[in-house]
Amino acid sequence: MNYPLTGSCQCGNVSYQLLSEPQMIVACHCKECQKLSTSAFSITALVNTDQIRFQGEMKEWRRTADSGNINGAMFCPTCGNRIYHFNPDKPDTLKLKPASLADTRLIKPVAHVWVSEKQDWYQIPEGVAVYDKQP
C-alpha cells in the first residue's frame, strides 16, 4: 500500500488521510457492532492518532461499554456515516471504520472478537485469532 490513503463519508463532507499502516484490523461480532454495521460484524482499524488527518465537521456520540469504558463515536452530521470510535482514556489510538477508505485492500482482519455473539451463518476464515469476548 502507498500512503497516505484517503477516505470519506458517503456525502463527502468529512474526509481524511491515513498516513501509515494501521496497528491491526479487527472484526467485531458484538450485538452493538451488528447494529452499527447493519450486518454480521463491524470492521475496525486501530490507528495511531498522529497518523491520521481529518477534514470536515463531525458530531460525537458516546455510550458505556460492558467493560465500563466509554466508547465514543465520531460521525458525519449530514449523512450519518461513522468515521471512527475512540476511548477518551486512550487518546493515542482511535478505531477507524476503514470501509470508508477509497482503497479498501488493507481490510484484512487479523482477529475476530466477540464471536460469542456472532451470527450463526457466518464462517470465520481460518488463520485469524478468535476471541469469545474482548481480548
Side-chain angles (χ1 to χ4, degrees):
M1 303 289 312
N2 293 319
Y3 292 88
L5 298 178
T6 60
S8 69
C9 63
Q10 274 186 300
C11 71
N13 286 340
V14 175
S15 60
Y16 62 89
Q17 286 189 315
L18 179 60
L19 305 177
S20 67
E21 185 177 355
Q23 298 169 25
M24 72 170 54
I25 309 284
V26 177
C28 181
H29 296 264
C30 78
K31 295 298 183 191
E32 292 298 323
C33 280
Q34 290 178 36
K35 289 178 187 179
L36 162 68
S37 67
T38 69
S39 187
F41 53 87
S42 176
I43 298 176
T44 297
L46 297 174
V47 175
N48 293 330
T49 54
D50 65 353
Q51 293 300 303
I52 194 161
R53 303 283 182 264
F54 296 101
Q55 295 84 39
E57 176 190 356
M58 290 187 266
K59 295 273 185 169
E60 181 178 323
W61 177 76
R62 292 181 181 205
R63 72 175 177 85
T64 302
D66 290 342
S67 64
N69 291 330
I70 299 298
N71 187 12
M74 300 301 288
F75 63 94
C76 173
T78 303
C79 67
N81 270 157
R82 294 269 177 103
I83 306 299
Y84 69 91
H85 289 185
F86 67 96
N87 178 341
D89 293 333
K90 297 182 179 180
D92 294 335
T93 303
L94 60 81
K95 303 168 197 167
L96 181 68
K97 306 317 283 178
S100 61
L101 284 163
D103 183 347
T104 56
R105 289 179 293 161
L106 71 77
I107 301 177
K108 296 174 186 160
V110 297
H112 286 250
V113 299
W114 283 98
V115 296
S116 59
E117 297 182 3
K118 179 181 82 60
Q119 293 290 318
D120 288 339
W121 56 265
Y122 181 75
Q123 299 297 314
I124 294 173
E126 291 186 28
V128 297
V130 176
Y131 301 93
D132 277 346
K133 297 192 182 236
Q134 194 71 25

